[in-house]
C-alpha cells in the first residue's frame, strides 16, 4: 500500500516505521524544514549546547516496551528532572516535598508530622474536588496553592484555576519525603545527542521517504491508499466549524557566560513575573560541558491562527466542538488521526509512542481482516 503520513514527528515516525517494516510504502511529509515535530533538538552554533528548540522534553515512562523501543534507536543517558520554583521571594524544591514544606513554613517536620500539618491546611469541606483550585485546596491548602500553583497556572492556561479540571494538577505528586524527582516513572533519561537523531534513526528505512518543507494539500491524498494525519484535527477540515483552543508558547532566548541558574528548569510562581519558567538547556545534558549557556524565558498565551499549537485547552466549550470534528472524522474513509494535534490531547512522548505502536498494529490487523481502518484507534473525547 501507498501510505501518506502527514507530520514527521514521533507519531508518524513510529507508525511509518512499523508499516514500512510490514512492506508498505510510506511517504512522510512535513511543512517544517526539520523532522521531529516539537521534540526537535539541535546544537546552538555558538555554544554547542543541545537546544530543545520547542521547549524541554524529558523522557519518562513506565512502559518497558516503549523504553526498549527508544533505546533501540539511540543511546539514552540517565537524567532526572529536578525542578525548582522561585516564588514569594524564595527558591523551593518541586514537586512539593518535605523540603518544600519545611522551608516554606520554616519548620523541621518529619514525614508523619508533615502529613498531619498539611492535613490541617487542607480544606476538608471539599469532598469531591472538580476544579484545579479545589484539588489544590483539598490536598495542599491555600498557602502552598497560592505560592506554587495559582499564579503559575493562571499564566500557563490564561484562565482561573477554578475553570480548569482537577486532572491537570493530578499530574504532580505531593511527597512526604525528600524525593525531588519530578517524575515517578521507572524509566527516565535523555537521548545522548538529542531527539533529532533518534527520530532520524526511526525514519531510516528503505520503505520510508521524508519530504520536508512540504505542506499538505488534499490532492496528495488522491495518490495514497491511506492517510495518517498528525496535524491539527480541526486543520484537516480547514477549521470549518471553528478552531479548537490551544495555548502557544513564546520563547525569549538569551545567552549567558557560565552557569545562569544552576538547574535545567526554574519555575516562577508569582503572578507578576510574566513568564512561567526559565529553562537552561545545557543542564538537560549534564554529561556535556560548555562554557557558554543558552536559556529560554517561556511565556504562554492564547494560540492564534499563525502560532504553533502546544497545549490543547479542552474546557467545556472545546468538548462540544471536538465532538463535532470527531463525528466528521469518523464519517471519512481512508484517514486516521493520530498524536497530540490529531486527537487534541496533551500526550507525553511515551504515550505518543505507545499509541503510535498500537495504531500501527490496528492498521495491519484491519488490512489482514479486510475491514476499514478507523479514524481513531480510540475516541479522543
Ligand atoms: N503547575 C503549577 N506550578 C508549577 C508547575 C506546574 O501550577 O510550578 C501546574 C500547571 O497548571 C501545569 C500543571 O501543574 O499545567 C501540570 O504541570 P506539568 O509540570 O505536568 O506541566 P507541563 O509538563 O504540562 O507543562
Amino acid at each position: 500500500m501507498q501510505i501518506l503520513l502527514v507530520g514527521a514527528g514521533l507519531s508518524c515516525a513510529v507508525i511509518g516505521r512499523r508499516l514500512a517494516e510490514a512492506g508498505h510504502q510510506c511517504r512522510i511529509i512535513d511543512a517544517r524544514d526539520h523532522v521531529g515535530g516539537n521534540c526537535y533538538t539541535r546544537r546552538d552554533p555558538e555554544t554547542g549546547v543541545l537546544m530543545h528548540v520547542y521547549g524541554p522534553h524529558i523522557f519518562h515512562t513506565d512502559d518497558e516496551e516503549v523504553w526498549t523501543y527508544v533505546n533501540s534507536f539511540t543511546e539514552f543517558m540517565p537524567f532526572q528532572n529536578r525542578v525548582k520554583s522561585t516564588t514569594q521571594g524564595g527558591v523551593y524544591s518541586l514537586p512539593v516535598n518535605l523540603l518544600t514544606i519545611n522551608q516554606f513554613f520554616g519548620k523541621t517536620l518529619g514525614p508523619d508530622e508533615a502529613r498531619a500539618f498539611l492535613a490541617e491546611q487542607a480544606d476538608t469541606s471539599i469532598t469531591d474536588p472538580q476544579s484545579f483550585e479545589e484539588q489544590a485546596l483539598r490536598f495542599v491548602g491555600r498557602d502552598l496553592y497560592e505560592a506554587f500553583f495559582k499564579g503559575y497556572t493562571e499564566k500557563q492556561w490564561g484562565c482561573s484555576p477554578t475553570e480548569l479540571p482537577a486532572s491537570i494538577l493530578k499530574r504532580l505528586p505531593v511527597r512526604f519525603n525528600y524525593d525531588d524527582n519530578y517524575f515517578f516513572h521507572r524509566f527516565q533519561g535523555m537521548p545522548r545527542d538529542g531527539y533529532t537523531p533518534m527520530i532520524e534513526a526511526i525514519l531510516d528505512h528503505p520503505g520510508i521517504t521524508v519530504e520536508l518543507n512540504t505542506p499538505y494539500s488534499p490532492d496528495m491524498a488522491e495518490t495514497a491508499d491511506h492517510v495518517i494525519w498528525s496535524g491539527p484535527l480541526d486543520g484537516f477540515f480547514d477549521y470549518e466549524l471553528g478552531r479548537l483552543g490551544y495555548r502557544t508558547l513564546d520563547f525569549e532566548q538569551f545567552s549567558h557566560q557560565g552557569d545562569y541558574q544552576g538547574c535545567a528548569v526554574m519555575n516562577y510562581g508569582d503572578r507578576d513575573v510574566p513568564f512561567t519558567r526559565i529553562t537552561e538547556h545545557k543542564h538537560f545534558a549534564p554529561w556535556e560541558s560548555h562554557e557558554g549557556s543558552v536559556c529560554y524565558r517561556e511565556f504562554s498565551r492564547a494560540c492564534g491562527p499563525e502560532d504553533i499549537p502546544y497545549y490543547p485547552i479542552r474546557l467545556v466549550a472545546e468538548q462540544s466542538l471536538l465532538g463535532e470534528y470527531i463525528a466528521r472524522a469518523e464519517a471519512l474513509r481512508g484517514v486516521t488521526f493520530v498524536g497530540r494535534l490529531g486527537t487534541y490531547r496533551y500526550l507525553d512522548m511515551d504515550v505518543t509512542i505507545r499509541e503510535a505502536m498500537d495504531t500501527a498494529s490496528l492498521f495491519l490487523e484491519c488490512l489482514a481482516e479486510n475491514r476499514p481502518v478507523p479514524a481513531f484507534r480510540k475516541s479522543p473525547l
Side-chain angles (χ1 to χ4, degrees):
M1 258 186 145
Q2 296 281 346
I3 299 151
L4 174 68
L5 300 101
V6 182
L10 270 181
S11 292
C12 287
V14 172
I15 295 171
R17 177 74 184 212
R18 277 275 158 103
L19 301 187
E21 283 169 354
H24 299 288
Q25 285 300 319
C26 294
R27 176 189 184 199
I28 302 186
I29 59 164
D30 201 298
R32 288 176 173 170
D33 63 0
H34 60 75
V35 300
N38 283 0
C39 306
Y40 174 64
T41 49
R42 70 168 150 71
R43 295 228 171 249
D44 173 57
E46 266 155 46
T47 56
V49 168
L50 188 64
M51 303 279 298
H52 291 225
V53 176
Y54 300 94
H57 284 74
I58 298 139
F59 203 91
H60 54 98
T61 189
D62 266 338
D63 188 327
E64 192 158 2
E65 195 184 338
V66 167
W67 183 241
T68 306
Y69 182 85
V70 292
N71 277 273
S72 72
F73 290 102
T74 198
E75 183 189 347
F76 269 73
M77 301 296 280
F79 183 86
Q80 293 197 334
N81 197 23
R82 299 189 194 285
V83 177
K84 302 287 175 281
S85 179
T86 297
T87 187
Q88 299 181 0
V91 179
Y92 302 95
S93 167
L94 281 185
V96 171
N97 62 67
L98 203 45
L99 187 62
T100 326
I101 296 166
N102 276 329
Q103 289 188 329
F104 186 79
F105 293 104
K107 296 201 175 286
T108 57
L109 305 173
D112 293 342
E113 292 165 324
R115 211 180 280 274
F117 176 75
L118 265 207
E120 281 166 27
Q121 312 278 313
D123 183 344
T124 47
S125 68
I126 304 166
T127 47
D128 181 19
Q130 295 297 316
S131 70
F132 184 108
E133 179 167 285
E134 285 176 354
Q135 175 78 11
L137 293 176
R138 174 71 187 83
F139 289 99
V140 298
R142 183 162 297 277
D143 290 349
L144 291 175
Y145 167 58
E146 289 187 347
F148 294 101
F149 302 114
K150 188 168 189 282
Y152 187 99
T153 298
E154 286 169 1
K155 292 188 283 186
Q156 170 74 9
W157 293 99
C159 63
S160 161
T162 54
E163 295 168 57
L164 291 165
S167 58
I168 296 181
L169 184 59
K170 288 182 189 159
R171 284 173 62 89
L172 301 184
V174 175
R175 300 212 184 95
F176 295 99
N177 57 31
Y178 290 98
D179 180 2
D180 62 350
N181 184 348
Y182 202 70
F183 303 116
F184 41 81
H185 286 145
R186 264 189 308 160
F187 307 107
Q188 306 186 26
M190 282 287 197
R192 189 170 57 88
D193 296 306
Y195 292 98
T196 306
M198 176 182 98
I199 292 169
E200 283 169 349
I202 299 173
L203 293 167
D204 183 16
H205 187 282
I208 298 179
T209 57
V210 179
E211 294 164 46
L212 300 175
N213 304 302
T214 308
Y216 172 80
S217 67
D219 55 294
M220 293 174 176
E222 284 158 27
T223 57
D225 300 306
H226 196 92
V227 176
I228 306 277
W229 177 267
S230 73
L233 171 60
D234 49 355
F236 186 84
F237 300 99
D238 276 330
Y239 308 99
E240 275 168 20
L241 308 171
R243 283 180 177 266
L244 293 168
Y246 279 95
R247 300 293 287 173
T248 190
L249 300 175
D250 294 320
F251 301 110
E252 192 180 280
Q253 184 174 328
F254 63 98
S255 304
H256 181 83
Q257 223 22 54
D259 193 356
Y260 177 72
Q261 61 182 14
C263 65
V265 183
M266 176 66 78
N267 288 355
Y268 285 83
D270 296 325
R271 186 67 189 88
D272 56 0
V273 174
F275 42 87
T276 51
R277 57 185 177 180
I278 296 180
T279 47
E280 184 164 12
H281 294 257
K282 69 178 177 183
H283 293 308
F284 289 118
W287 56 92
E288 297 186 358
S289 94
H290 301 278
E291 275 304 305
S293 195
V294 193
C295 303
Y296 275 176
R297 271 185 211 100
E298 198 171 312
F299 300 80
S300 170
R301 63 178 169 80
C303 184
E306 304 306 319
D307 299 319
I308 301 173
Y310 282 83
Y311 294 91
I313 299 178
R314 272 189 178 252
L315 295 182
V316 178
E318 267 81 22
Q319 296 283 0
S320 65
L321 185 57
L322 174 61
E324 290 178 47
Y325 276 120
I326 291 172
R328 283 213 175 185
E330 285 174 338
L332 298 170
R333 277 284 164 270
V335 188
T336 299
F337 295 81
V338 298
R340 180 174 54 96
L341 302 176
T343 66
Y344 192 60
R345 284 171 313 142
Y346 187 62
L347 300 178
D348 286 333
M349 286 181 286
D350 62 326
V351 180
T352 305
I353 293 174
R354 160 53 57 198
E355 293 199 357
M357 287 169 154
D358 292 346
T359 302
S361 304
L362 175 67
F363 186 99
L364 296 171
E365 260 167 51
C366 288
L367 288 195
E369 293 165 12
N370 217 358
R371 59 187 168 99
V373 183
F376 301 99
R377 196 183 59 83
K378 252 179 29 198
S379 170
L381 246 194

